[in-house]
Amino acid sequence: EGIGASLLTQQHPFYIELADAMKAEAEAKGVPLEISIANQDLNKQLADVEDFIVKGVDVIVISPVDSQGAVAAIAKAQAQGIKVITVDIPIANAEVTSHIGTDNYTGGVKAGELMGKVLDGKGKVAIIDYPTVQSVVARIDGFKKGLEAFPDIEIVAQQTGITRAEALAVSQNMLQANPEITGIFGFGDDAALAAAVAAKSAGLQDQVKVIGFDGMEEARNAVDSDPIMVGVIQQYPQEMGKTAVDTAVDVIAGKTVPAEQPIVPGVYVKK
Amino acid sequence: MTQTPDPITASQGHRLRALMLQYGGILLALVLLCVIFTALNGRFMTVANLTNILQQVAVVAIAAFGMTWVILLGEIDLSIGSIIAVAGMVGALALGFGFVPALLLTLAAGALMGAINGVLTAKLMLPSFIVTVATMGIYRGLVSLPTNGAPAMIADPAWLAIGAGTFLGLPIIIWIVLVLFVFNHILLSRTTFGRRTYLTGGNREAALYSGIKVDRLKIAIFTLSGVMAAVAGILLSSRLYSAQTNAGMSYELDAIAAAVLGGTSLAGGVGTMVGTLIGALIIGVMNNGMNMLSVPYFYQLIVKGLVILIAVWLDVRAKQRRA
Amino acid sequence: MTQTPDPITASQGHRLRALMLQYGGILLALVLLCVIFTALNGRFMTVANLTNILQQVAVVAIAAFGMTWVILLGEIDLSIGSIIAVAGMVGALALGFGFVPALLLTLAAGALMGAINGVLTAKLMLPSFIVTVATMGIYRGLVSLPTNGAPAMIADPAWLAIGAGTFLGLPIIIWIVLVLFVFNHILLSRTTFGRRTYLTGGNREAALYSGIKVDRLKIAIFTLSGVMAAVAGILLSSRLYSAQTNAGMSYELDAIAAAVLGGTSLAGGVGTMVGTLIGALIIGVMNNGMNMLSVPYFYQLIVKGLVILIAVWLDVRAKQRRA
Amino acid sequence: MSEADRTVLSMRDVKKNFGPVAALKNMRLEVRPGRVHTILGENGAGKSTLMKILVGVHPPTEGRMELDGQPYLPQNPTEASQRGLAIVFQELSLCNNLSVAENIMATHEPARYGFINDRKLRQQAAELVANLGLPVNVDAKVGQLSIAQRQLVEIAKGLSHPAKVLILDEPTSSLSDSEAEILFGIIARLKARGTAIIYISHRMEEIMRLSDDITVIRDGEYVTTRAREDTTIEELIALMVGRRMDEIYPPALEPLPGLSTAPVLQVSGLTRAGEFDDVTFDLCPGEIHGFFGLVGSGRSEVMSALFGMREAQGEIRVDGRAVRFRNAADAIKAGIGFVTENRKEEGLVLGAALRTNISAAAIPAFTGRAGFMNFGAERRAALAEVQRLAIRTNSLDTLAGTLSGGNQQKVVLAKWLLTRPRVLILDEPTRGVDVGAKFEIYRIIRQLASEGTAILMVSSELPEVLGLADRVSIMAGGRITATVAGTDLTPERVMAYATGTLK
Ligand SMILES: Nc1ncnc2c1ncn2[C@@H]1O[C@H](COP(=O)(O)OP(=O)(O)OP(=O)(O)O)[C@@H](O)[C@H]1O
Ligand SMILES: Nc1ncnc2c1ncn2[C@@H]1O[C@H](COP(=O)(O)OP(=O)(O)OP(=O)(O)O)[C@@H](O)[C@H]1O
Ligand SMILES: [Mg+2]
Ligand SMILES: [Mg+2]
């Protein structure tokens, strides 16, 4: 009976909006929806899915903690005849009924191109990353790809800053070591906003341009009001959540659904 | 003056009562939880779900068995979460040599990492907390090197069967937990090794004077803890079809919580495997039951904390009554 | 046998030497780290960067001051990471009432959460590890309720000035660390409150027999630890322009590591604020230096672990030599 | 009513239960100012429990107490001390990581607005210690002191503020005679000032010398109170143990035939810088070799070096073969047993069962197949030792920490007897043990010796050393200054060597 959704986290605005959109759509369609939060732990995600199976849900919507490791959970559900839909993060080496997600790589390319444009094709760039998350790795790869068109731009530092506090310290330290940095790409809004703070506190607000990824409200406001934040790659969690629930409802109704429903990220720049 | 009763019959006759006295509080907490969940959700008390719980609790329970030894010695091992991850990775990479070599290599890696903790603690006389905080980082760093942070997929059917297969109708993973429970329980309660652990944890100085080789014992126990973590890592990687570089993160806290819930004293010298198993079950039942009831995540955190508090309090109270 | 030298001149004259003897090992580790980083990166040893380090270390250092008290008592407080987050959130939400009320409310919230830890530990006689593991979850759950997990933005200029402003040329955040260091140091080393803490941590029984109200002391110290965590939470939220629901996650480990690196014994009764400050600086210098050198994340984990091991080892060796 | 007849402290019908254990059943006590009131009773009779009730550590289960005619029911030690009671605990209650001065002045540090005046604190402590004539350095960390010195610190702590009633719970149990004399001097001065003193000890000579009144208790029950003039040692012992005892030091037994006369242990030139120097002696099967000396003369250090717990230069031979013990396990394997002097720190696991403690040093003997413990054999052996030493307990599963001090001491002894050692080192073996039990222990020592066990006995009780030892080595300043035997073995000579007046 109904939909079970296993989401990666609940401490990130993107996922909060995603969950809210799913709940709203489920209510509108009158279909029961239960949400579990894996808290970035694949084992908990597996346990959550197992519990969904015992409870007897019809469809599972999952945003995998890991694009490869979630195979186990998905296989388990499918073995019980439960259809699986992935949102946001695709699953590698397994077939799911449908995937709805941002094209992170393309988003990364767009971020790289934007960076090249705002820096006029030259300068030194730093990256804040999160190397154990595959969607982030895709963004970073895309970003580097996008920058390939600008041979005079050099990537001088790449450091890991997972939480906002870590990102702040890391960007301070990168700016300290490379004061000639002119651009910073943060893998998410938190990283970008922290980088902007760091640039200001180092007195480099006129020199450094920051680009983020996610495009939640806080970051969009910052792009509007803060000269350092030149742009953010915008994902569309509401659309994603709504599509996911609609797809799940279709699956329950026995309709065929498209295997891929990409949601292309936008580029949000100053109005 | 000495009204010593016959000691042998005394211990045999009151076995069951002693068990109830010892675990009354914590068992009560476990039973209460089960009753509440059963009342609130009909699917809770089904064979399928109970099997579920046992499977879900397996990784933490096995790690907690190892942790119990370490805590009994009055030490702590914060690196087991990282060892779990390294073990999975070693297994995933070594499966190229075949299933059995991979299994052995994984266990050996766990033993080695545990032994390093033990040697640093015993021979360099560094506090185990700081040693294992350090190796927690080191092992976590190491696990990420071969794949640069990416997970390693596992396709070996034998390896995957550990987490997915059944034997005599029961999931293999549950058999492993049971076997390891019995092994650790007997080792602790019936052998001289266990006795030495209690003595050393109770009073290190007195143990030294009694001729116990405390350093060796310490190294052995950290090694054992490493091996248990490696087994937990094998199960986890098998359940997840892959070795994750961030696997087992912060499981050390769950393992410690299971042991302490089960009555193990962080000061050393007091605790049992039965208690730890009950502690792990409480944690597992709680997680599962709240999922079954669709309790929202943040409320789950709060309820879990409250249940832990109540369980220990019931236990402490029961023990005070007895005294 | 009693070659008691004149006690007064003895203490004054050997002050500096005593300091070197007490902190020689750990100071050596700190100096070594600085020398290495300076040699490898010219920009390390600049006023701007040292200010940087102090700012980055502030949150952990302040939390570690509180933690030092708790550990001195022979207890542990794992909930401070969550208290940091709750404090930030209370501040962010209460800023609607104005800056000063928000500040007071935040400190009061920290005190309350600490006091709850203390009461549960002292009055219900539960082990502090399990109490604070439980409240860690409870407080972390609570912080997420008002915003459903989302961060709360902070725009109040006074609040933001705490993290960004300067006073007499030095960032305000560094002033706060210094003031709290001096406060805690004096409270610990010069007052009867501090002396009672040492006595109780060293031998609880003896403290009880000497007429120390151990329960009250325990509650007071957990409260103090909660207040310190709240201050850390204020700084963090101010630096981040927002209260994050996952703020301070696992900072308790850093705080404990700083204290233990600085020579605080987890068994209680031994430790100083000076040591904790040095311990926190080592952690801060290490993070900053490796970022400056662009050491990849996984290698940073490994190096950090190794440095911690070497630092404690230097310290333990220095102390053994002295004895 | 004259001052001396006034009762300052009284208790009636006091009961105390620890769960099912009735530690006190109907205690009665009247204490008068300027008099020493001794409480006499076997180990576990309830003496320490009584004192802990008086100072508010434990509440009584039932009963009434009065102080200066006012009802008295202290809730905690602070209240007791405010009402004018001070205590020197039997089990040391000091903080090892703080200095002597800090321990002595604990909770009444000279302070203003909560700030401690460290100079004044050390001055006051130093003055106090000097006034009392105690040989301790107030700057030393308590953890570095020998057990005897800690006892002196404990005494200084108890005397650090004026009290109407001073309780001394076995203050001399680890002091040698010369330090004990210092304490007696202090007691005399306090008495003259009108302080009432409650005194607990198992040393009969000392009791007869110091006491004005003596209350005997047995099994938690009040037996009688006598004025010292109206009683004798023999009568007191009979009242206490419930039977007559003629002798305390049993005579030597005939050695078993066929005992080897070759030395089992030969020590030569044993040296450890700063602790002891050139210690040389040998020990034959069946011999009881006493080691006497003042506090800090280094006897305990020598013994722990013999036992492999301390590195030292020099040579140790067992059965003529040179050995080097790396740890206690090696020493135990070579047949050495060591009853340590500090039972709480080196002797017992307080949180473990009696049975576990008693078998702790003999685990190999109870190892069955594949490393399994032979619990049946362990229980039987432990039970035999409990009965032989008359350890007062109702179960082998009782936690060692809940036993009375003297019974804990017996447990340590039991633990080492169980290893069936060929060489048994006894460091203050009867510390805190009652007369009846002492006799029992002496008898066992004699018995062991007659069976060929070689015994090294460190003791600060001169009569005990003289009463038992065949030969006595006297240590002063880390060296053996003399070894005497036969007719030379007189108290005067031994003391003279120990204090260095004879060389
Ligand atoms: N905390 C406790 N819990 C349980 N039993 C206790 C406790 N303290 C004392 N007892 C028991 O109470 C009895 C009296 O003990 P107490 O220490 O008063 O004896 P004592 O007369 O001082 O003996 P000793 O001469 O050996 O010091 C003993 O049987 C002891 O085991
Ligand atoms: N005045 C002092 N201040 C500090 N330490 C002392 C002092 N006197 C002796 N010590 C220490 O005490 C120890 C000697 O005590 P030890 O226990 O060996 O003596 P002992 O002969 O066994 O006497 P006893 O056991 O009666 O105390 C040595 O380690 C010595 O460093
Ligand atoms: Mg006593
Ligand atoms: Mg001695």
Side-chain angles (χ1 to χ4, degrees), chain D residues 311-439:
Chain D
E311 272 177 48
Q313 275 85 56
E315 197 183 53
I316 304 172
R317 289 173 174 274
V318 174
D319 292 331
R321 222 167 309 122
V323 291
R324 186 149 293 278
F325 300 143
R326 280 157 305 147
N327 48 43
D330 288 351
I332 294 170
K333 226 176 278 163
I336 301 181
F338 185 16
V339 175
T340 48
E341 67 177 333
N342 187 346
R343 59 179 171 247
K344 255 186 159 174
E345 281 170 21
E346 298 145 4
L348 295 173
V349 181
L350 295 175
L354 214 54
R355 154 176 71 88
T356 308
N357 272 290
I358 292 177
S359 67
I363 290 177
F366 303 111
T367 307
R369 258 185 310 151
F372 279 82
M373 284 289 292
N374 187 340
F375 288 123
E378 184 200 18
R379 277 191 168 273
R380 279 188 294 276
L383 185 62
E385 294 301 336
V386 164
Q387 279 162 350
R388 168 145 80 136
L389 290 166
I391 295 172
R392 203 189 134 100
T393 178
N394 45 23
S395 157
L396 288 177
D397 295 318
T398 304
L399 301 187
T402 65
L403 294 184
S404 78
N407 281 304
Q408 290 182 6
Q409 184 67 33
K410 292 190 210 169
V411 174
V412 181
L413 205 60
K415 161 172 147 183
W416 289 105
L417 292 181
L418 206 55
T419 64
R420 311 268 174 261
R422 298 172 55 225
V423 176
L424 181 58
I425 306 172
L426 302 164
D427 196 355
E428 312 285 2
T430 60
R431 192 178 147 234
V433 166
D434 69 50
V435 241
K438 250 184 200 171
F439 173 78

Side-chain angles (χ1 to χ4, degrees), chain B:
Chain B
M1 185 108 321
T2 44
Q3 326 97 307
T4 325
D6 183 87
I8 291 145
T9 57
S11 91
Q12 296 284 351
H14 298 305
R15 205 85 175 259
L16 199 85
R17 243 194 81 217
L19 208 89
M20 272 314 295
L21 272 176
Q22 188 167 3
Y23 302 109
I26 194 83
L27 270 178
L28 182 67
L30 182 59
V31 170
L32 271 182
L33 268 181
C34 290
V35 169
I36 293 174
F37 285 132
T38 310
L40 294 177
N41 187 321
R43 289 226 179 78
F44 178 82
M45 224 3 120
T46 59
V47 175
N49 195 45
L50 295 183
T51 320
N52 237 355
I53 294 177
L54 284 175
Q55 280 182 281
Q56 289 167 8
V57 100
V59 174
V60 165
I62 292 173
F65 294 154
M67 185 66 90
T68 304
W69 285 100
V70 176
I71 300 180
L72 275 173
L73 261 195
E75 305 288 341
I76 197 108
D77 185 351
L78 298 177
S79 72
I80 59 164
S82 298
I83 296 182
I84 286 175
V86 176
M89 187 58 76
V90 169
L93 300 180
L95 274 169
F97 306 120
F99 174 70
V100 175
L103 208 58
L104 296 179
L105 267 171
T106 307
L107 295 176
L112 178 68
M113 288 182 282
I116 289 174
N117 289 335
V119 169
L120 289 172
T121 306
K123 293 296 177 189
L124 297 192
M125 298 200 280
L126 310 181
S128 57
F129 186 98
I130 203 87
V131 164
T132 56
V133 154
T135 57
M136 169 168 90
I138 295 175
Y139 301 157
R140 182 67 65 188
L142 287 176
V143 70
S144 311
L145 295 186
T147 61
N148 196 23
M153 292 309 298
I154 295 175
D156 185 274
W159 195 275
L160 296 183
I162 297 173
T166 60
F167 176 71
L168 300 181
L170 214 56
I172 292 177
I173 203 165
I174 296 183
W175 283 110
I176 296 179
V177 175
L178 288 179
V179 168
L180 289 180
F181 166 68
V182 171
F183 167 77
N184 282 293
H185 174 66
I186 290 183
L187 191 63
L188 180 60
S189 63
R190 302 237 165 271
T191 72
T192 55
F193 182 76
R195 176 60 64 81
R196 290 193 170 106
T197 305
Y198 279 120
L199 284 168
T200 305
N203 183 348
R204 184 175 171 275
E205 192 87 340
L208 274 172
Y209 274 97
S210 301
I212 293 172
K213 290 182 183 132
V214 169
D215 282 3
R216 265 203 229 167
L217 185 68
K218 218 175 244 182
I219 295 172
I221 280 181
F222 272 100
T223 307
L224 182 58
S225 168
V227 171
M228 286 299 135
V231 175
I234 293 172
L235 297 198
L236 186 61
S237 67
S238 169
R239 261 167 73 74
L240 300 179
Y241 294 22
S242 66
Q244 304 282 321
T245 53
N246 62 354
M249 200 93 96
S250 86
Y251 280 26
E252 57 277 353
L253 284 187
D254 276 350
I256 300 173
V260 176
L261 259 177
T264 310
S265 155
L266 285 163
V270 177
T272 61
M273 289 296 158
V274 179
T276 297
L277 184 64
I278 301 175
L281 284 177
I282 288 189
I283 294 177
V285 164
M286 208 156 46
N287 285 336
N288 170 276
M290 286 198 290
N291 270 343
M292 300 290 283
L293 296 178
S294 302
V295 178
Y297 178 63
F298 301 125
Y299 290 97
Q300 286 201 12
L301 286 178
I302 298 174
V303 173
K304 229 163 112 173
L306 291 175
V307 170
I308 291 180
L309 284 179
I310 294 170
V312 212
W313 176 69
L314 281 177
D315 198 43
V316 166
R317 224 186 39 155
K319 289 207 171 113
Q320 277 170 350
R321 284 255 179 88
R322 180 170 59 130

Side-chain angles (χ1 to χ4, degrees), chain D residues 35-228:
Chain D
R35 290 174 76 88
V36 175
H37 195 133
T38 294
I39 315 285
L40 189 59
E42 287 181 292
N43 293 132
K47 303 180 294 296
S48 298
T49 306
L50 184 63
M51 299 309 127
K52 286 181 185 167
I53 290 174
L54 282 178
V55 297
V57 170
H58 297 312
T61 310
E62 258 177 50
R64 273 174 306 147
M65 299 190 281
E66 279 183 5
L67 183 67
D68 281 332
Q70 301 292 313
Y72 174 67
L73 189 68
Q75 297 301 308
N76 52 53
T78 319
E79 194 184 331
S81 122
Q82 279 159 359
R83 298 281 299 264
L85 272 80
I87 182 162
V88 174
F89 285 102
Q90 174 182 17
E91 300 303 326
L92 301 174
S93 61
L94 299 172
C95 205
N96 287 349
N97 48 296
L98 293 182
S99 74
V100 170
E102 287 164 338
N103 267 288
I104 291 177
M105 306 301 292
T107 67
H108 48 94
E109 297 95 353
R112 185 189 276 190
Y113 309 121
F115 286 86
I116 296 174
N117 184 337
D118 267 310
R119 286 170 61 127
K120 220 160 148 194
L121 181 146
R122 301 168 76 225
Q123 246 165 13
Q124 288 182 2
E127 264 168 41
L128 179 75
V129 164
N131 278 342
L132 296 174
L134 301 177
V136 283
N137 174 0
V138 295
D139 294 322
K141 285 253 186 327
V142 164
Q144 293 161 357
L145 300 185
S146 73
I147 191 93
Q149 288 170 322
R150 291 186 209 184
Q151 184 131 40
L152 295 177
V153 176
E154 184 82 46
I155 291 171
K157 187 178 169 188
L159 295 173
S160 62
H161 45 144
K164 277 190 282 218
V165 181
L166 173 67
I167 300 169
L168 297 160
D169 192 352
E170 300 197 31
T172 54
S173 65
S174 47
L175 296 187
S176 69
D177 290 352
S178 50
E179 289 96 20
E181 283 306 327
I182 301 174
L183 178 66
F184 301 157
I186 297 168
I187 291 176
R189 271 185 282 160
L190 290 172
K191 243 175 93 165
R193 258 189 260 157
T195 309
I197 291 164
I198 303 179
Y199 195 81
I200 299 176
S201 172
H202 291 296
R203 298 187 180 175
M204 300 309 292
E205 296 80 8
E206 178 178 305
I207 290 170
M208 290 312 280
R209 209 182 117 187
L210 284 180
S211 314
D212 299 299
D213 307 300
I214 299 165
T215 290
V216 180
I217 67 177
R218 192 163 67 218
D219 277 343
E221 291 190 70
Y222 173 83
V223 176
T224 185
T225 302
R226 297 281 163 96
R228 194 240 348 241

